[in-house]
Every structure is written in structure tokens, then in C-alpha cells.
């Protein structure tokens, strides 16, 4: 590789190390919003440096991502735009009713934003812009490294997850917080969410290394060492998820392992053999569930199947039902980005002594906040990403890209 090419890869690694340190710091201090915002500022500075160095311009981005990145913040900004009350009445009877109730406190305004809580929508707008900036900033260096067989991007995520995993297993070992693994997170489900994101990467790069040479560290001993450590990390994170007693975390983690193995290995088989192998993998994952060290997950799932009561899934089903009622009140435009915890109280019919912060379902909360129109860019990005990932896993000529 020529000198300019080496410099380009070195620059990509430097940017990734920079963002990796920010990721590790934010994972350990994610509950502190001041530090979280500081991390977003550091990400922005890295993005500016990446753009100035032309790193971001050297890797093309699909047009649909550009449009979605523009349309989503624009739509949220429109929710903050003051509109005539007559237009709001035409767009959403629910929002018009909320504004009409203000006459009890001194009169109804002639103009008002569509968002039910403008301050929360403004905060959410800034976050969406920051997340979009983060995506476009880290995508070019990650693609440049992955295409050369460099798994450094995955190492950073797995390392950050392993730090939390170690904390969670220590909590289980010494009976801290009732022996439930949750790391430095306040909520055990958030802890399991980080694990379920990192586990597929640990499995994938282990499989890539076990497949043989094909990167700049092609020695069999090195590959075997890296693959072994990756599988050990994946196993420890899976154990941590099971000890967190998170039902969705356990299900997602096992599903992630299944998809990685299926996508990477079944592409070489005939259709008949793919079906047989898929069934065997499914049975193997079911066996893991039955042999898990903490039976609380199985007991909870069994209760859900057997009882069908209002407390299903830790009270989430009633919340989802009420959230659907909230969405149907303004199905096209939503109630305003970030307004769910405030507006949900108008539709809450269960656990009235509890302030529900989230819908415990990201897709449903997107619909309630943004409606079908606002959620469309987000859903298009997800569908495009899933399609591209699955297509690469099955058909890409490079083994590293398939994994």
C-alpha cells in the first residue's frame, strides 16, 4: 500500500480510537446528562476534524440516508413551528382539545406549536441532530477499516461491554443489588441492551478469525487466540444477560447469535440444507434457554404464556395498549418528539401511581411522538440497513464483510 493509503488508514484508526474512548466514557457515565452532552460535543469536534481531513467525503453515503437525516430533524422542527389554531384543529382534534382546555386558565391562544410540550421537543431535536452527526461521523472510518479486514470497530464496542459485564458479574458474585447484574446502569434492561448489541460482534469476528487467513494478521496462532477470546467474551456477556433476568435481553442476545451464525454460514449451503441447519440452530438456542443458570427469565416467560393477565411482561402490555390509544389520537403527526411521558398521562389507565417515562417499545414510542409521517424516515433507515446487512452476509465475496 502506498504512503497516502497508509496515512488514510492510520487517520481512520485515530478517529476511531478517539470516538472509542468517548463511547467507553459515556457507557460508564450515561446517567449523567451533563457528561452525556459533553460527549456529544466531543463527537461533534471529531466529526468536524473528519470532514476537514476529507475522510468523510471519501466514502459515499446512500442517498436515502442523506434524505432521512434531513427530513427527520426538519419534521421535528415543524412540530415547534407556531400554527393557527384552525389548522391544528384540522390536523389533530386531540391537540386542539388540549389547547381548548387552556381557556380555563385565561384563554385559548391564536397560534400554538403542534408539539404538546415544546421544551421537550426542542431537547429531542438537538439529540436527533447529535445522533445523526455521530452516525455520519463514525461511518466512513469504520467502513474503511472493515473493508480491509480490520475489526477494530468491533473491539471497541466489545471492550466497553466487557467492562460493564465484569461489573455485572461482580454484583452477582457478591450479592450486590440483590444479586442482579446491571453494571453501572440504573436499569438492568439497559445493561442487557448493551450486552445484546456487543454479543453478535464478538461472535462474528471470532467466526471470521476461525475461517482462516484473510487480514493483515493472518497467522493461525494469532487468529486462534483472537477467536478464542472473542467466544469467551460472548459467553461471559451472555451469562451476564441471563443473570440480569431481562427477558427481552436474553431473547435478543440469542436471536443475535442465531442471525450471525445463520447469515455467515448458511450462505454456502443449498436451500434444503439451510432449512435443516436453521432448525438445528434453533433447537440449540432453545437448549441454552432451558439450561440457563438463572431460571427467573423462564419463570417469567412461563407466567406470561400461562396467565395472560394484566401484569404481562412486567406491566408493559397495558402500557402498550394505552400508548396505542395515544397514537390513534394523532396517528399522522404524533404528539411531539419527546413528549410521551407528559402526554401519556392523559391516556394512562393502569398503574396510576407510576410515572411512565417510556413506552418500553422504541417503535411504538416513535409512532406516538412523531406519527406515521415523522416515523417514516426512521423506519426507512432501519429497513435499508437490515436489507444491506443481510445481503452482504449472504452474497458479499469478502469473508470479513459477510461476517
Amino acid at each position: 500500500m502506498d504512503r497516502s493509503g497508509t496515512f488514510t488508514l492510520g487517520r481512520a484508526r485515530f478517529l476511531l480510537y478517539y470516538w472509542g474512548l468517548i463511547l467507553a466514557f459515556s457507557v460508564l457515565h450515561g446517567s449523567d446528562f451533563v457528561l452525556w452532552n459533553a460527549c456529544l460535543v466531543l463527537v461533534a469536534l471529531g466529526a468536524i476534524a473528519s470532514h476537514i481531513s476529507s475522510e468523510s467525503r471519501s466514502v459515499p453515503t446512500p442517498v436515502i440516508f442523506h434524505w432521512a437525516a434531513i427530513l427527520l430533524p426538519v419534521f421535528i422542527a415543524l412540530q415547534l413551528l407556531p400554527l393557527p389554531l384552525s389548522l391544528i384543529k384540522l390536523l389533530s382534534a386531540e391537540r386542539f382539545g388540549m389547547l381548548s382546555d387552556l381557556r380555563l386558565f385565561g384563554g385559548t391562544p391564536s397560534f400554538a406549536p403542534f408539539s404538546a410540550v415544546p421544551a421537550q421537543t426542542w431537547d429531542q431535536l438537538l439529540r436527533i441532530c447529535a445522533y445523526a452527526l455521530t452516525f455520519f461521523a463514525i461511518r466512513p472510518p469504520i467502513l474503511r477499516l472493515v473493508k480491509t479486514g480490520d475489526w477494530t470497530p468491533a473491539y471497541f464496542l466489545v471492550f466497553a461491554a466487557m467492562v460493564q459485564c465484569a461489573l455485572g458479574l461482580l454484583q452477582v458474585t457478591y450479592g450486590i443489588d440483590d444479586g442482579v447484574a446491571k453494571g453501572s446502569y440504573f436499569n438492568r434492561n439497559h445493561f442487557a441492551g448493551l450486552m445484546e448489541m456487543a454479543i453478535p460482534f464478538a461472535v462474528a469476528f471470532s467466526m471470521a478469525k476461525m475461517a482462516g487467513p484473510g487480514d493483515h494478521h493472518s497467522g493461525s496462532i494469532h487468529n486462534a487466540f483472537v477467536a478464542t477470546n472473542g467466544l469467551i467474551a460472548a459467553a461471559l456477556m451472555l451469562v451476564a444477560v441471563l443473570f440480569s433476568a431481562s427477558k427481552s435481553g436474553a431473547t435478543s442476545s440469542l436471536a443475535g447469535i442465531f442471525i450471525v451464525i445463520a447469515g455467515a454460514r448458511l450462505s454456502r449451503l443449498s436451500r434444503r440444507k439451510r432449512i435443516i441447519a436453521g432448525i438445528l440452530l434453533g433447537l440449540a438456542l432453545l437448549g441454552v434457554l432451558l439450561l440457563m443458570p438463572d431460571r427467573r427469565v423462564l419463570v417469567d416467560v412461563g407466567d406470561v404464556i400461562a396467565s395472560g393477565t394484566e401484569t404481562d411482561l412486567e406491566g408493559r402490555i397495558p402500557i402498550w395498549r394505552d400508548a396505542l390509544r395515544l397514537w390513534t389520537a394523532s396517528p399522522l403527526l404524533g404528539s411531539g418528539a419527546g413528549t410521551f411521558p407528559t402526554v401519556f398521562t392523559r391516556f394512562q389507565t393502569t398503574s396510576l401511581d407510576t410515572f411512565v417515562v417510556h413506552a418500553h417499545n422504541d417503535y411504538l414510542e416513535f409512532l406516538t411522538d412523531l406519527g406515521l409521517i415523522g416515523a417514516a424516515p426512521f423506519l426507512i433507515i432501519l429497513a435499508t440497513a437490515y436489507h444491506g446487512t443481510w445481503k452482504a452476509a449472504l452474497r458479499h465475496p469478502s469473508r470479513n464483510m459477510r461476517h
Side-chain angles (χ1 to χ4, degrees), residues 23 49 62 66 76 88 100 137 187 213 220 260 265 270 288 337 363 397:
L23 168 66
H66 280 295
I76 297 176
I88 292 179
S100 298
N187 190 307
S220 58
V260 167
R265 293 303 182 191
S270 64
V288 172
Y363 306 101

Side-chain angles (χ1 to χ4, degrees), residues 143-377:
L143 283 182
R144 185 171 298 281
L145 292 173
V146 170
K147 288 181 178 180
T148 63
D150 193 322
W151 282 84
T152 303
Y155 297 159
F156 273 108
L157 179 60
V158 172
F159 174 77
M162 282 301 297
V163 173
Q164 290 287 352
C165 176
L167 292 176
L169 294 179
L170 285 175
Q171 291 167 338
V172 173
T173 303
Y174 294 100
I176 304 173
D177 291 330
D178 298 325
V180 175
K182 60 180 182 180
S184 63
Y185 287 90
F186 177 78
N187 190 307
R188 58 187 173 85
N189 293 310
H190 298 168
F191 167 83
L194 176 62
M195 299 298 109
E196 70 191 47
M197 283 192 295
I199 288 174
F201 285 99
V203 175
F205 74 66
S206 297
M207 292 175 60
K209 295 299 180 181
M210 288 188 295
D215 61 356
H216 58 288
H217 294 299
S218 58
S220 58
I221 296 179
H222 176 273
N223 285 345
F225 177 78
V226 173
T228 301
N229 282 292
L231 293 176
I232 292 175
L236 289 174
M237 287 187 286
L238 182 58
V239 170
V241 170
L242 299 179
F243 275 114
S244 73
S246 171
K247 297 179 286 295
S248 59
T251 303
S252 298
S253 298
L254 293 174
I257 296 173
F258 178 84
I259 291 174
V260 167
I261 295 176
R265 293 303 182 191
L266 302 187
S267 60
R268 302 178 181 179
L269 303 178
S270 64
R271 184 174 182 179
R272 179 182 177 183
K273 290 182 178 179
R274 288 182 190 179
I275 296 175
I276 296 175
I279 293 174
L280 293 176
L281 286 173
L283 292 174
L285 292 178
L286 179 61
V288 172
L289 274 174
L290 294 175
L291 296 174
M292 65 174 55
D294 193 332
R295 295 302 179 92
R296 281 176 292 183
V297 176
L298 281 181
V299 171
D300 289 345
V301 172
D303 289 342
V304 169
I305 296 175
S307 63
T309 64
E310 289 294 314
T311 58
D312 287 352
L313 298 178
E314 300 176 343
R316 294 181 183 181
I317 288 181
I319 293 176
W320 294 345
R321 185 189 60 236
D322 292 340
L324 282 174
R325 293 176 53 242
L326 167 59
W327 170 62
T328 55
S330 184
L332 293 180
L333 300 176
S335 61
T339 63
F340 177 85
T342 301
V343 181
F344 182 75
T345 56
R346 291 173 59 90
F347 299 86
Q348 188 173 357
T349 61
T350 185
S351 301
L352 299 179
D353 59 338
T354 302
F355 182 69
V356 179
V357 180
H358 294 290
H360 299 289
N361 185 308
D362 291 336
Y363 306 101
L364 185 55
E365 190 165 335
F366 253 81
L367 284 174
T368 60
D369 284 359
L370 304 176
L372 287 174
I373 296 177

